[in-house]
Amino acid sequence: MCIVALAWQVFDDMPLCLISNRDEFYHRAASQLHHWENSPIIAGQDLQSGGTWMGVTAQGRWAIVTNFRDGQDKKQYATSRGHLIQAFLQSAQPPIRFAQDLEKKQCDYAGFNLFIGDRNQAVYMSNRGEAPQVLAKGVFVVSNGLLNENWEKTQHLRKRFTQEFLPMLQQPLIPEHDIVSAVWDLLQDERKIIPDLLPNTGISTEMEHLLSSTFIQSPIYGTRCSNFLTIQLSKMQWFEKTQQGEKSGEVIQIARLFSH
């Protein structure tokens, strides 16, 4: 998962509104959004390592992870970041307690940004420089750097999310189809950042430029799925748009979760 924007406790009747893109190699097999067998988890699934990048439970627990990009980190990690989501969703711990326990073993994982929560509390942490913190109400956007780094990529999505999209949710007569279409428009933004404003994460300038757009595409790597999740006081909805390969030959599927 490479970029996420969420509005936490911004609306009285909607604790969470979240949009995100997951970027991955096209050859890495994954399943679409579904209810996992013999598990409370509702999520897509990485079929290589068995974890997931984003998930929820019917009780309103939710979690999402992005990679922290560090081109200088060549270490091999035995534990998959995708299992962080699985572990939180299967637990009964309050979000902050789970994050504090995870902090004790965070070095077992490659770099990550993690958001976890329920309807009452949301927590952010990174094992590359951000201790667990309970989020105040507001809008939060993170990609593959720390939450407080404010990359140009995240600032661009934040501006569009707050100025174009969130006001739509306050207008009661807008059809659901138009709202979902607006999400896909935000997440399919291919605007790239000029070289002078790119972060320095230890990879080449050419690769930084490729990865600087909200929606990424290349011959072997790119945005694999886009997500729109809302958790309200008594229900939740999740739309997932799956794309396989570059736009020129994409296969698009849209899965919808609706739960009371």
Side-chain angles (χ1 to χ4, degrees):
M1 182 69 65
C2 270
I3 195 163
V4 54
L6 63 91
W8 170 248
Q9 302 286 6
V10 170
F11 303 107
D12 291 340
D13 60 347
M14 186 189 298
L16 179 69
C17 172
L18 183 154
I19 67 173
S20 65
N21 274 344
R22 177 200 179 222
D23 307 323
E24 184 54 89
F25 288 100
Y26 298 135
H27 70 261
R28 185 161 178 152
S31 65
Q32 203 174 6
L33 174 63
H34 67 285
H35 197 149
W36 292 14
E37 186 176 359
N38 300 319
S39 171
I41 295 173
I42 303 166
Q45 190 168 23
D46 172 22
L47 298 181
Q48 178 171 309
S49 297
T52 188
W53 50 94
M54 172 179 172
V56 301
T57 70
Q59 290 70 41
R61 289 172 75 84
W62 57 273
I64 186 168
V65 67
T66 76
N67 296 349
F68 179 89
R69 189 158 68 239
D70 180 0
Q72 304 304 313
D73 185 3
K74 306 300 182 183
K75 182 179 176 180
Q76 297 296 314
Y77 296 87
T79 47
S80 169
R81 289 165 289 199
H83 291 297
L84 296 172
I85 306 297
Q86 185 175 357
F88 173 72
L89 296 178
Q90 290 177 334
S91 79
Q93 287 183 297
I96 187 61
R97 181 62 60 83
F98 179 91
Q100 290 167 341
D101 286 350
L102 173 59
E103 190 177 22
K104 301 170 187 176
K105 51 187 177 183
Q106 63 182 6
C107 293
D108 294 343
Y109 299 87
F112 65 78
N113 290 290
L114 180 68
F115 289 98
I116 54 177
D118 52 28
R119 285 185 169 92
N120 301 309
Q121 184 183 78
V123 170
Y124 163 77
M125 68 172 291
S126 171
N127 65 342
R128 293 299 185 266
E130 291 284 355
Q133 53 191 277
V134 176
L135 298 181
K137 67 179 182 179
V139 173
F140 302 90
V141 185
V142 72
S143 180
N144 304 113
L146 297 177
L147 180 62
N148 63 10
E149 288 185 321
N150 292 318
W151 288 5
E152 184 68 21
K153 173 176 180 172
T154 58
Q155 290 186 51
H156 176 65
L157 181 58
R158 174 190 291 273
K159 181 177 180 180
R160 295 197 64 196
F161 184 61
T162 56
Q163 296 183 9
E164 299 177 27
F165 179 67
L166 292 183
M168 291 182 65
L169 298 183
Q170 297 176 298
Q171 301 179 36
L173 299 181
I174 295 184
E176 179 184 84
H177 175 269
D178 291 348
I179 291 174
V180 176
S181 294
V183 172
W184 302 151
D185 180 65
L186 291 182
L187 294 176
Q188 290 177 188
D189 189 342
E190 298 181 51
R191 172 186 179 270
K192 295 214 169 24
I193 308 304
I194 63 173
D196 289 349
L197 297 178
L198 292 173
N200 180 7
T201 66
I203 62 175
S204 69
T205 301
E206 293 76 16
M207 186 59 69
E208 290 281 17
H209 187 253
L210 171 69
L211 301 178
S212 69
S213 55
T214 300
F215 186 94
I216 297 168
Q217 57 177 331
S218 76
I220 62 172
Y221 180 92
T223 300
R224 293 280 301 275
C225 72
S226 300
N227 300 276
F228 173 36
L229 171 67
T230 59
I231 298 181
Q232 300 180 41
L233 297 180
S234 60
K235 66 179 182 179
M236 65 178 129
Q237 290 194 94
W238 183 351
F239 296 85
E240 179 188 72
K241 184 175 182 179
T242 305
Q243 295 156 138
Q244 301 290 341
E246 289 188 274
K247 272 194 164 183
S248 58
E250 69 180 358
V251 176
I252 297 178
Q253 297 174 302
I254 297 180
R256 177 180 181 181
L257 160 73
F258 181 86
S259 175
H260 287 285

